[in-house]
Amino acid sequence: MFCVPSTEIGAIMNITKGGLVLFSANSNSSCMELSKRIAERLGVEMGKVQVYQEANRETRVQIQESVRGKDVFIIQTVSKDVNTTIMELLIMVYACKTSCAKSIIGVVPYFPYSKQCKMRKRGSIVSKLLASMMCKAGLTHLITMDLHQKEIQGFFNIPVDNLRASPFLLQYIQEEIPDYRNAVIVAKSPASAKRAQSFAERLRLGIAVIHGEAQDAESDMVDGRHSPPTAKYVAAIHPSLEIPMLIPKEKPPITVVGDVGGRIAIIVDDIIDDVDTFLAAAETLKERGAYKIFVMATHGLLSSDAPRLIEESAIDEVVVTNTIPHEIQKLQCPKIKTVDISMILSEAIRRIHNGESMSYLFRNIGVDD
């Protein structure tokens, strides 16, 4: 296990050197709850700034205190208007840069556009574009959490600390699921098997993988630029040279690899957005004999009708962290529970500001975690 002891962090949390300024870049007040929790743990006041949308929908940022020579930490939680959220962050970063801040550290618990981190046919790698924009605006360091793909860190030319929420989710399982020893960790597709394996090994539990029609739509997409030819062979450099076409994929019938009969099934993933695949996985697990089903993820986007669909489904509980505000969704669906991760973000900010090592926050984390 690699849980961060709350007593150890709590004892040192308020010890910060001077010259730290904490801003929230959100114009949406519902997105400021995490910023307030972090400021409270650090024992500092939120910096004075105005972020608002003008009548023509342009974003305006006005910093109302001096940041010259200071370490500025800008906390940005993603709202439903993700593009406005990005512009708020970029404009505030640039405003701090032109105001001679010593360093500008972005605290972005959920990195937007993280699913668009691979080339899809004639699309684009939007995560790379966003990383370049952040660096160009003046960001000198990024703190984020559970990137959809860890390789996104390579898109930046600045330091990136990709923190993990799994210690808090593991702690929730141990403390809030009384019979968790009778549980099995489930990957709803082969793509999330590594995460499920990490949870299972730390909790000393078994693992099950769902393979077949219930898997991610994303995993069906082929990486790389490609235009599948209609003919079996296509002429290449020379008319006599024929390149064979790759055989198209075909999903096998749905299969659960592992025993879930008479067990608690805990489905783990990094993001819950479109819940259709989770609902299909829950139905499959019920059919295979699981008597209780939990879904656990770091980022709870819960878009569109997700709360209603969860409430009407076979899922007993959905546990997500507060990297993204979802208070409205919780009112619509009592099954949604929240785990607070402000503690680890606060400690990361304190350590970076004081020039301390970050290795304490990455203890027992392997390459595959």
Side-chain angles (χ1 to χ4, degrees):
M1 288 275 295
F2 52 110
C3 292
V4 181
S6 57
T7 53
E8 188 173 341
I9 286 183
I12 58 178
M13 190 61 70
N14 290 332
I15 305 174
T16 55
K17 298 176 182 177
L20 180 149
V21 181
L22 201 65
F23 286 131
S24 173
N26 284 111
S27 58
N28 189 340
S29 59
S30 66
C31 296
M32 296 182 65
E33 182 61 32
L34 182 60
S35 304
K36 292 175 181 176
R37 286 175 179 264
I38 292 172
E40 185 179 340
R41 287 185 179 277
L42 288 169
V44 299
E45 296 289 332
M46 291 297 300
K48 297 175 183 176
V49 63
Q50 275 191 328
V51 184
Y52 58 94
Q53 312 299 315
E54 294 189 336
N56 62 358
R57 300 300 298 163
E58 288 185 359
T59 299
R60 185 173 290 273
V61 173
Q62 293 182 340
I63 297 173
Q64 298 178 319
E65 63 179 85
S66 174
V67 296
R68 183 179 293 272
K70 295 182 179 180
D71 292 331
V72 178
F73 291 84
I74 301 174
I75 303 168
Q76 183 68 318
T77 51
V78 177
S79 66
K80 287 197 175 295
D81 190 353
V82 62
N83 296 323
T84 297
T85 299
I86 292 169
M87 284 306 301
E88 289 171 348
L89 176 63
L90 294 174
I91 293 171
M92 182 171 284
V93 169
Y94 189 65
C96 292
K97 177 183 177 181
T98 54
S99 298
C100 302
K102 178 185 174 183
S103 61
I104 306 165
I105 299 94
V107 183
V108 187
Y110 170 67
F111 188 74
Y113 286 97
S114 59
K115 284 191 173 183
Q116 298 188 47
C117 60
K118 297 179 182 179
M119 182 62 71
R120 309 290 189 194
K121 295 188 179 180
R122 297 182 185 86
S124 61
I125 305 175
V126 184
S127 294
K128 169 62 176 172
L129 171 64
L130 185 54
S132 300
M133 291 166 65
M134 288 181 174
C135 295
K136 188 68 176 177
L139 208 64
T140 60
H141 197 136
L142 177 68
I143 301 171
T144 187
M145 181 165 280
D146 282 338
L147 288 169
H148 186 56
Q149 297 288 341
K150 293 189 290 294
E151 292 76 12
I152 292 175
Q153 295 173 84
F155 295 161
F156 291 84
N157 56 16
I158 58 173
V160 177
D161 286 309
N162 181 27
L163 303 176
R164 305 296 196 275
S166 46
F168 300 92
L169 296 175
L170 289 166
Q171 187 178 46
Y172 184 94
I173 292 172
Q174 292 175 312
E175 295 179 357
E176 302 298 329
I177 303 178
D179 196 21
Y180 83 92
R181 289 292 181 190
N182 187 38
V184 59
I185 306 298
V186 179
K188 69 178 177 66
S189 71
S192 55
K194 279 188 177 180
R195 177 179 294 270
Q197 180 183 358
S198 175
F199 272 66
E201 290 177 353
R202 296 179 191 284
L203 293 169
R204 315 298 192 261
L205 299 176
I207 183 173
V209 179
I210 299 175
H211 179 53
E213 294 178 355
Q215 65 183 349
D216 269 3
E218 182 186 359
S219 64
D220 300 336
M221 301 179 184
V222 181
D223 294 338
R225 301 172 178 86
H226 68 100
S227 298
T230 55
K232 184 177 180 181
Y233 294 98
V234 178
I237 299 171
H238 192 274
S240 63
L241 180 63
E242 294 180 335
I243 300 175
M245 184 178 72
L246 189 65
I247 298 171
K249 291 182 179 179
E250 184 176 332
K251 289 182 181 179
I254 192 163
T255 306
V256 178
V257 183
D259 181 24
V260 298
R263 314 282 287 278
I264 299 172
I266 304 175
I267 305 171
V268 297
D269 212 335
D270 62 329
I271 299 172
I272 301 179
D273 188 4
D274 179 9
V275 297
D276 289 345
T277 54
F278 290 95
L279 302 183
E283 289 295 335
T284 301
L285 293 169
K286 278 287 186 185
E287 291 171 4
R288 299 299 196 281
Y291 73 89
K292 212 165 189 181
I293 298 172
F294 290 80
V295 175
M296 310 200 79
T298 303
H299 310 297
L301 275 69
L302 301 170
S303 302
S304 190
D305 290 334
R308 179 183 61 81
L309 294 172
I310 291 169
E311 185 66 24
E312 297 171 356
S313 73
I315 297 171
D316 293 283
E317 195 168 287
V318 173
V319 182
V320 291
T321 72
N322 56 346
T323 55
I324 296 171
H326 47 261
E327 294 305 315
I328 295 175
Q329 289 91 329
K330 286 175 70 175
L331 293 174
Q332 297 171 335
C333 177
K335 291 182 180 180
I336 300 171
K337 309 295 180 184
T338 306
V339 174
D340 180 27
I341 44 80
S342 62
M343 180 189 296
I344 194 169
L345 294 174
S346 304
E347 179 63 4
I349 291 171
R350 191 195 68 80
R351 285 176 176 269
I352 290 171
H353 175 61
N354 291 347
E356 299 176 19
S357 171
M358 292 287 285
S359 61
Y360 176 80
L361 302 180
F362 293 94
R363 295 171 304 159
N364 300 327
I365 295 178
V367 176
D368 294 330
D369 288 328

